[in-house]
Amino acid sequence: GREAFFESVKKGYRAILSHGYYIDLIQHADTHYLNDPVPDSVKLTVEETARVLGGEATMWSELVTPETVDSRIWPRLAPIAERLWSPASVRDVASMYARMKVVSRELESLGLKHISYRGVFMRRLANGYDTQPLEVLLDVIEPLKIYERNAEDTLYTVFSPMTKIADAAIPDPELPREFGRLVDEYLAAHSDSLRKAIVQQLQVWKDNHSKFIALVRNSPVLKEAEMLSLNLSKIAAVGLDAMAHLHEGNDASKEWLADQLDLLEAAKVPGGRCELQVIAPIQKLVEAASDENARVIPGFENTCMLMPKSQLNAK
């Protein structure tokens, strides 16, 4: 723990920090990247700071196999390495993610299997070559974090094969981050091109459930993720409704807002020891659609022009 770490340093011991770098806990890369061994919030003398030797990334192996272990280590270990050799002032998360994507491909070319393993895994789960509906779902889910996947050590043992959808799902997938960025940029500028990109992605998610159900009939092992797929379809429909309100300038009632928030909250329930990662940006769309100060004026989608609802109604 951090308190014991800094207490040791102040008592004269040299120390290596592992807290915040446990990559087996399936946390996002930015969580590790922003975890500096000597943060500004901790006041150490020059001598005490010199006793901080650095940090270590730790990988416990209860929930991995030789097939999946690379995906649990890479590419998130690269940002941790950069954190440990960089000044605390280096904190540009967007830059980190952009470079991590490049490094990830370089690592694969060196023989790591953190990307390529998933294709084989998906074909096995889908019991065939048509893996697209499964891939659509996998791109927006993550295994449960911290110790939730095997809460109280009740589900897995050393004999568990680790061949479920949670083993195909990767930590920190790119698509939820990119979708969140699109939503933020759209709500800031209301660009029509961004609107179309968001609507297109939401439509893919909405339509995917019927295709996923066909996979489940062919491969019952996917049954445990059926509710995840259904919830993705439901919240995508919520997002499409919110986008229509924003684009057309229609009033979204308080009752509508409450109903949509209830649906989004229900979608947080895990399935197959995984959880959806696109609920937060869709909730932003819902809240913006119910905000009288965040109306998009039809015909002005490429501007940042916002008007109070009273003026909009007059128009």
Side-chain angles (χ1 to χ4, degrees):
R2 297 185 70 84
E3 292 182 6
F5 177 80
F6 292 116
E7 183 181 354
S8 299
V9 168
K10 291 179 179 180
K11 288 184 176 179
Y13 296 96
R14 292 183 295 174
I16 295 174
L17 181 66
S18 56
H19 187 273
Y21 304 126
Y22 280 82
I23 50 179
D24 60 301
L25 300 185
I26 316 295
Q27 292 174 289
H28 292 169
D30 60 330
T31 301
H32 304 304
Y33 194 66
L34 298 176
N35 180 58
D36 196 85
V38 187
D40 292 338
S41 58
V42 177
K43 304 304 178 185
L44 300 176
T45 67
V46 174
E47 289 184 354
E48 290 167 347
T49 301
R51 296 189 194 116
V52 178
L53 302 183
E56 62 175 359
T58 50
M59 178 65 212
W60 291 80
S61 59
E62 292 95 333
L63 298 178
V64 296
T65 65
E67 183 179 27
T68 63
V69 65
D70 280 358
S71 70
R72 277 29 184 177
I73 297 174
W74 304 103
R76 291 179 301 141
L77 190 57
I80 294 176
E82 181 170 287
R83 169 76 286 130
L84 296 177
W85 70 51
S86 301
S89 58
V90 177
R91 300 175 63 83
D92 189 334
V93 169
S95 172
M96 178 273 290
Y97 272 121
R99 291 178 292 109
M100 186 178 79
K101 184 176 180 180
V102 176
V103 169
S104 183
R105 293 196 300 269
E106 292 174 345
L107 291 169
E108 185 185 36
S109 70
L110 295 173
L112 293 173
K113 303 294 185 181
H114 61 295
I115 299 174
S116 59
Y117 95 100
R118 202 170 75 150
V120 177
F121 215 108
M122 286 193 297
R123 288 189 289 276
R124 187 188 309 143
L125 285 172
N127 195 26
Y129 288 96
D130 181 15
T131 62
Q132 185 179 13
L134 175 58
E135 188 171 2
V136 169
L137 181 61
L138 281 172
D139 280 345
V140 295
I141 65 174
E142 293 180 8
L144 292 177
K145 299 174 181 59
I146 316 297
Y147 300 107
E148 289 301 311
R149 181 176 173 187
N150 197 24
E152 300 179 358
D153 297 320
T154 57
L155 183 65
Y156 297 96
T157 71
V158 294
F159 302 107
S160 298
M162 306 297 169
T163 55
K164 297 294 188 73
I165 194 169
D167 302 293
I170 61 173
D172 209 357
E174 180 183 9
L175 184 56
R177 290 197 307 274
E178 287 301 304
F179 183 72
R181 179 186 60 79
L182 284 178
V183 167
D184 288 342
E185 291 182 1
Y186 171 71
L187 292 177
H190 296 292
S191 159
D192 197 47
S193 61
L194 290 173
R195 179 186 66 82
K196 290 177 180 177
I198 291 171
V199 168
Q200 182 179 27
Q201 182 61 77
L202 289 169
Q203 195 66 53
V204 168
W205 292 336
K206 180 177 181 293
D207 295 341
N208 192 63
H209 183 60
S210 59
K211 302 171 187 176
F212 187 80
I213 290 300
L215 276 189
V216 173
R217 287 194 291 268
N218 187 50
S219 183
V221 71
L222 293 173
K223 181 72 175 177
E224 64 176 359
E226 188 175 320
M227 187 55 66
L228 273 179
S229 177
L230 177 59
N231 283 337
L232 177 62
S233 181
K234 286 181 177 180
I235 66 174
V238 167
L240 287 168
D241 200 9
M243 290 297 292
H245 279 292
L246 285 166
H247 180 59
E248 297 167 6
N250 295 333
D251 288 344
S253 66
K254 292 181 179 179
E255 291 76 14
W256 176 88
L257 173 62
D259 289 343
Q260 309 316 302
L261 292 179
D262 285 344
L263 281 170
L264 292 170
E265 188 65 29
K268 294 179 181 179
V269 176
R273 299 284 165 156
C274 295
E275 55 190 355
L276 291 169
Q277 298 297 306
V278 291
I279 297 173
I282 293 176
Q283 182 167 330
K284 287 183 180 180
L285 293 174
V286 168
E287 291 172 347
S290 63
D291 183 355
E292 65 179 18
N293 294 314
R295 300 288 178 208
V296 182
I297 307 171
F300 289 85
E301 293 88 351
N302 292 315
T303 74
C304 295
M305 191 172 186
L306 301 177
M307 295 180 68
K309 185 167 64 175
S310 58
Q311 295 182 38
L312 181 61
N313 290 339
K315 293 290 183 180

